[in-house]
Amino acid sequence: MIKPENQILVIFGASGDLTKRKLLPSLFELFDRDMLPERFVILGVARTPFTDGEFRQQQKENLKTFLKGGQPDEQQLERFLEKVHYLGFNSDQAEEYPVLAEKISALRQEKDIPDRLIFYLATPPQKYSTIATALQQSGLSRPGRENGWRRIIVEKPFGSNLETARKLNHELRAIFREQDIYRIDHFLGKETVQNILVLRFANQIFESLWNRNYIDSVEIYAAEKLGVENRGKYYESAGALRDMIQNHLMQLMGFVAMEAPSAFDADLMRDEVAKVFRALHPLSVNDVIRGQYITGKAGEEMVPGYREEKGVAPDSATETYIAMRFFIDNWRWGGVPFYFYTGKRLQESRSEIVIHFKNVPHRLFSGICPHSSCNELVLKVDSPESISLKFGLKIPGSFFEVKQVSMNFTYNSLCNTYIANAYERLLLDAMQGDSTLYTRTDALELSWRFIDPILKEWEKDPLKGLTFYPAGSEGPEERKWLLHCNL
Ligand code: BG6
């Protein structure tokens, strides 16, 4: 593999949770597999004043806690930490940016790194536009030399509705070129999600069945056992629709429903996803069931309801669960219902895509299949990642009685294959200048356009239609309405 060019990664929000849990562990993994640039600096910036040494010490402890797969080699850790630097400064204050510019320039000179910078905004979203504007005012948003470049990675949530997303896009695009803006959706970095494309477009057997003639319905699940943890304050302003549907589940659906691009190129790929989003049938509020967890039993333990969580209003109307049904108005998918299910504090964690194929035209045998047809393709996105193809076979010894069986492929059966986590993959892509797995402006705005009418309806009457489900259950009973009401 060709390593990325020498560059500096500046992380805003370096003392935060994302940096310690995801960014630095992923960067360490890349370093450990020798995939980082030859000359590379990670410059963490945040308000707290630390020396490089103090920051490194703190991150060393964090790495030991958050690196998956055992304790890292001490010497490798030290070598990695040599690349990590820190600057304590207030990113809200435009007048402080010259200090950042000086620090970057000193590091570039010392390490002999060209004028290539990635800014990673791992800060609260309210700061994105302030930081981008201050980068522009200080001249940091523009490369000075011919072989220089700038890239900016922005975390979700990207806006809170169509209007704010548009505004933010407008502000960022006035400063950075579209191809230099990397809107991250970590689901797209998951190996299994990328594999949807390979499964579909490298295999004639699936792709020829991948349409309304053979597919009965598509279900996409992202169910979690955990509650909102310590993110109550953020979650109050988000809810499941913004937190999971507008980004992660929409992107999964885009990969499932898109046409094959003519080449595997960032823009051609993202054109196809945008076309799917453009073809979405407008949602009606009746197609969306929302729920909130109340106290219940998670495993053996009684856990509090959402309204009792830290940072959550006691009368909160924020949804922690969504089940919804929708259609794509195009030739391939006309009439095929798609379902999203996502929620917190559910009975089991489950991230998967289930393609239900149509039943045979005439049933010859009796038997048990959970759905009307025996044929399903299940793409399991969370660990242990797998793909299962289900079909009906005769129960041995019985008369012609059919049972659903499953042919399974699990990724961990591929020995010696390291499965990189989503952030590793996406960070590496951004360092390489490959934005294929990042969200483009049009798709982002189209996804907001899709859910905006629902958000507006709920704003008018925050409690209308809000259902409740006990923690540890499968979600509100009302979710079943979607399956049974007329199409
Ligand atoms: C995040 C959401 O984007 O994705 C969280 O904000 C959610 O609420 C998480 O828990 C799920 O991601 P993963 O990779 O753990 O399935």
Side-chain angles (χ1 to χ4, degrees), residues 140-157:
L140 273 168
S141 63
R142 286 179 303 278
R145 299 235 184 98
E146 259 179 31
N147 63 351
W149 45 248
R150 296 290 184 267
R151 290 175 196 148
I152 184 163
I153 307 182
V154 191
E155 268 291 331
K156 70 172 257 277

Side-chain angles (χ1 to χ4, degrees), residues 156 186-187 190 224 231 234 243-244 248 344 351:
K156 70 172 257 277
H186 79 274
F187 265 50
K190 295 183 186 227
E224 296 178 88
R231 296 166 75 221
Y234 150 74
D243 187 48
M244 295 295 288
H248 306 326
K344 301 232 177 246
S351 279

Side-chain angles (χ1 to χ4, degrees), residues 65-285:
T65 312
F66 295 110
L67 269 171
K68 303 253 154 59
Q71 285 300 303
D73 178 89
E74 194 71 23
Q75 282 185 347
Q76 273 294 78
L77 206 51
E78 291 299 337
R79 279 195 285 269
F80 169 72
L81 288 168
E82 279 168 23
K83 299 186 180 298
V84 178
H85 296 259
Y86 183 83
L87 175 70
F89 97 118
N90 183 351
S91 59
D92 294 342
Q93 303 294 329
E95 57 279 12
E96 292 199 18
Y97 279 68
V99 185
L100 175 63
E102 263 172 45
K103 176 87 179 178
I104 292 173
S105 155
L107 284 167
R108 279 191 42 220
Q109 263 187 357
E110 187 192 325
K111 314 278 177 191
D112 188 21
I113 296 181
D115 193 12
R116 300 179 190 133
L117 305 179
I118 303 192
F119 302 109
Y120 197 120
L121 308 194
T123 62
Q126 307 81 280
K127 291 185 171 226
Y128 295 165
S129 134
T130 313
I131 295 175
T133 310
L135 287 171
Q136 182 188 36
Q137 286 167 356
S138 61
L140 273 168
S141 63
R142 286 179 303 278
R145 299 235 184 98
E146 259 179 31
N147 63 351
W149 45 248
R150 296 290 184 267
R151 290 175 196 148
I152 184 163
I153 307 182
V154 191
E155 268 291 331
K156 70 172 257 277
F158 195 99
S160 55
N161 55 25
L162 179 58
E163 192 189 331
T164 50
R166 272 193 183 140
K167 184 165 174 284
L168 183 54
N169 268 331
H170 185 74
E171 286 162 354
L172 290 180
R173 292 177 66 172
I175 302 170
F176 295 92
R177 297 178 309 168
E178 173 66 28
Q179 65 263 43
D180 297 329
I181 305 173
Y182 290 71
R183 299 170 192 83
I184 198 164
D185 183 321
H186 79 274
F187 265 50
L188 293 189
K190 295 183 186 227
E191 192 62 41
T192 25
V193 174
Q194 294 152 39
N195 228 341
I196 299 171
L197 300 176
V198 179
L199 183 94
R200 289 192 52 200
F201 303 133
N203 295 293
Q204 180 68 10
I205 55 168
F206 296 116
E207 192 47 24
S208 45
L209 301 179
W210 212 262
N211 58 54
R212 68 181 190 289
N213 296 323
Y214 300 99
I215 291 182
D216 180 68
S217 61
V218 176
E219 294 181 307
I220 303 184
Y221 292 86
E224 296 178 88
K225 264 184 169 174
L226 290 177
V228 289
E229 307 281 274
N230 53 3
R231 296 166 75 221
K233 190 160 166 262
Y234 150 74
Y235 204 83
E236 277 286 87
S237 65
L241 194 61
R242 290 187 176 96
D243 187 48
M244 295 295 288
I245 304 272
Q246 178 271 327
N247 34 68
H248 306 326
L249 273 73
M250 292 280 292
Q251 291 295 332
L252 292 189
M253 181 270 290
F255 276 17
V256 169
M258 68 189 270
E259 297 302 317
S262 57
F264 198 63
D265 159 276
D267 271 324
L268 294 176
M269 273 271 309
R270 298 185 299 174
D271 285 347
E272 296 304 332
V273 172
K275 276 188 215 163
V276 173
F277 290 2
R278 222 168 260 129
L280 286 166
H281 191 82
L283 263 183
S284 141
V285 76

Side-chain angles (χ1 to χ4, degrees), residues 34-47:
D34 200 21
M35 294 170 102
L36 288 183
E38 263 340 300
R39 294 198 295 284
F40 181 59
V41 163
I42 300 162
L43 173 61
V45 301
R47 205 180 287 215

